[in-house]
Amino acid sequence: MPFLGQDWRSPGQSWVKTADGWTRFLDEKSGGYVGDISSFCKKDDHNKENLFNSLNYDVAAKKRKKDLLNNKAKIQYFHQEKWIYVHKGSTKERHGYCTLGEAFNRLDFSSAILDSRRFNYVVRLLELIAKSQLTSLSGIAQKNYMNILEKVVQKVLEDQQNIRLIRELLQTLYTSLCTLVQRVGKSVLVGNINMWVHRMESILHWQQQLNNIQITRPPFKGTTFTDLPLCLQLNIMQRLSDGRDLVSLGQVAPDLQVLSEDRLLWKKLCQYHFTDRQIRKRLILSDKGQLDWKKMYFKLIRCYPRKEQYGDTLQLCRHCHILSWKGTDHPCTANNPETCSTSLSPQDFINLFRF
């Protein structure tokens, strides 16, 4: 019974019995009888308008909420799928990638190590990956990493240059692999554990080969470094950016030993790599009461990172997000492409793929 407990004349309405019959209840807000046709129509229109506005508001609110969720999803997707492009040869070729492993695979680092201007850049990048980013690489990228490392070692064995630099790289990689295999567990490395043990053995073999290198003096009978005037020798030594190179150069001859201890030489080296504030925090006085710039330098390098210097670096175009080596043109659509390029250090390159 649908009208059980209600007046059958109008379910759900309030009615009052009068002398003229049943009449709808007086609406105090409208100021008249709801039984009046015109009043009822106006109220009905008013209810429909309110209902329509309410529906519009609900639809608009739902649309705003949906748009907000979509925008958040797009922002999250943009950060997760951040596309960086690399130009290789043709102006029509563009390849997109969103992870460090994909970028490492697609950028031709194997050819870059053959260029002396890019060699130190690639080695520094390999070192940073070995320290903290090795597990973020895919299996293919890890294999590519080892292949590039092998080519780097072979180049050093042939040229007999940058030996100390590669020794440090191999030691860093071996230490990281020992930590990953023994302490963390093999699950963080892609592939069979025996394969990584074999790679660690290869690293030890490369280290032994580097230790066995015997640099022979070339058969050159012309002017040597020690034959140059002292002012020229000192000028050349001032262009060395690593204090260990100065120490090694001073061990060649007694005259060079005296030049390698020059206070002004070590002072400029400290000022090149470190800020005045960093230097003031690590002041060391000699027995004569003067600043010992040589000791300060080796103390500073243990506390702060040194200034990195590279002959060539990767460039990022902020307009079209293309990665290319410095001096390599890319199909930029900006009005002034030169102002859009930003030089990337190896650490900046890795930071591109941190979200």
Side-chain angles (χ1 to χ4, degrees):
M1 298 294 292
F3 301 104
L4 185 62
Q6 299 181 7
D7 195 326
W8 62 271
R9 296 174 182 81
S10 179
Q13 300 291 338
S14 298
W15 291 76
V16 178
K17 186 176 182 181
T18 62
D20 298 331
W22 288 92
T23 307
R24 291 180 63 181
F25 185 70
L26 176 65
D27 190 359
E28 296 178 354
K29 295 182 180 181
S30 61
Y33 284 100
V34 183
D36 183 47
I37 300 290
S38 60
S39 175
F40 174 77
C41 293
K42 291 181 180 178
K43 183 178 181 181
D44 190 58
D45 293 339
H46 178 71
N47 291 337
K48 289 182 179 179
E49 183 179 358
N50 290 340
L51 180 61
F52 180 78
N53 293 335
S54 178
L55 290 175
N56 287 341
Y57 175 81
D58 292 339
V59 172
K62 291 180 179 179
K63 187 176 184 302
R64 286 195 299 269
K65 184 177 181 180
K66 184 177 180 180
D67 292 340
L68 180 61
L69 294 176
N70 289 337
N71 291 335
K72 289 182 178 180
K74 289 179 181 179
I75 294 174
Q76 184 178 6
Y77 177 80
F78 173 77
H79 285 289
Q80 291 179 351
E81 303 292 335
K82 186 176 182 181
W83 288 100
I84 308 294
Y85 297 100
V86 57
H87 173 60
K88 301 171 70 176
S90 173
T91 57
K92 295 183 180 179
E93 281 187 275
R94 293 187 184 184
H95 302 274
Y97 41 85
C98 57
T99 64
L100 178 61
E102 293 178 2
F104 190 78
N105 287 334
R106 299 197 180 191
L107 283 170
D108 193 7
F109 290 110
S110 298
S111 300
I113 61 177
L114 302 178
D115 192 335
S116 59
R117 298 172 302 171
R118 303 171 184 174
F119 182 83
N120 290 349
Y121 187 95
V122 177
V123 172
R124 177 57 177 168
L125 181 61
L126 294 176
E127 183 181 3
L128 291 176
I129 293 177
K131 286 182 178 180
S132 60
Q133 300 296 320
L134 190 61
T135 56
S136 65
L137 301 181
S138 62
I140 297 177
Q142 291 176 358
K143 182 178 180 181
N144 189 29
Y145 179 93
M146 296 302 299
N147 292 336
I148 295 176
L149 180 61
E150 183 177 5
K151 293 180 180 179
V152 168
V153 174
Q154 294 301 324
K155 177 177 173 56
V156 173
L157 292 175
E158 294 175 1
D159 301 342
Q160 296 186 350
Q161 298 179 4
N162 300 304
I163 298 176
R164 185 181 65 235
L165 187 65
I166 306 306
R167 282 177 181 171
E168 296 175 353
L169 169 60
L170 294 178
Q171 185 60 39
T172 300
L173 178 60
Y174 187 82
T175 303
S176 299
L177 288 179
C178 288
T179 303
L180 294 174
V181 172
Q182 297 176 1
R183 300 180 183 178
V184 180
K186 62 182 181 179
S187 60
V188 296
L189 295 173
V190 180
N192 190 284
I193 189 64
N194 296 326
M195 177 183 64
W196 284 103
V197 172
H198 175 71
R199 290 174 176 174
M200 294 175 67
E201 293 175 352
S202 298
I203 295 174
L204 293 176
H205 178 66
W206 293 336
Q207 288 178 325
Q208 186 63 36
Q209 288 181 309
L210 293 176
N211 293 332
N212 294 335
I213 291 180
Q214 295 182 357
I215 301 178
T216 58
R217 185 172 182 177
F220 182 71
K221 299 181 180 180
T223 304
T224 61
F225 182 77
T226 55
D227 295 333
L228 298 174
L230 294 180
C231 59
L232 290 180
Q233 294 181 25
L234 187 61
N235 189 14
I236 294 174
M237 296 174 70
Q238 288 177 353
R239 301 180 185 277
L240 297 176
S241 60
D242 195 331
R244 293 171 296 180
D245 294 333
L246 287 177
V247 175
S248 300
L249 186 59
Q251 298 173 353
V252 175
D255 294 338
L256 296 178
Q257 173 67 27
V258 176
L259 289 179
S260 64
E261 297 294 333
D262 185 77
R263 292 183 62 253
L264 183 60
L265 188 66
W266 289 99
K267 179 181 179 180
K268 290 183 177 180
L269 195 60
C270 290
Q271 293 175 344
Y272 173 77
H273 286 288
F274 310 105
T275 63
D276 294 338
R277 182 179 180 182
Q278 293 172 342
I279 294 175
R280 288 195 298 267
K281 290 184 177 181
R282 299 292 186 270
L283 296 178
I284 299 178
L285 297 178
S286 63
D287 298 336
K288 298 180 180 180
Q290 298 177 340
L291 291 176
D292 195 332
W293 291 100
K294 183 178 179 180
K295 290 184 179 180
M296 288 170 54
Y297 170 81
F298 288 105
K299 186 175 182 180
L300 286 167
I301 62 175
R302 292 193 297 267
C303 302
Y304 309 104
R306 291 178 298 175
K307 184 178 179 180
E308 297 181 0
Q309 184 179 15
Y310 305 102
D312 196 2
T313 60
L314 283 173
Q315 301 285 321
L316 173 65
C317 180
R318 298 187 301 271
H319 178 73
C320 49
H321 302 286
I322 293 179
L323 278 173
S324 60
W325 288 103
K326 186 177 181 180
T328 304
D329 296 332
H330 68 274
C332 184
T333 58
N335 295 328
N336 297 320
E338 297 80 9
T339 60
C340 299
S341 296
T342 302
S343 181
L344 297 178
S345 66
Q347 186 62 58
D348 294 335
F349 174 77
I350 292 179
N351 293 340
L352 287 177
F353 307 96
R354 289 181 177 178
F355 309 112

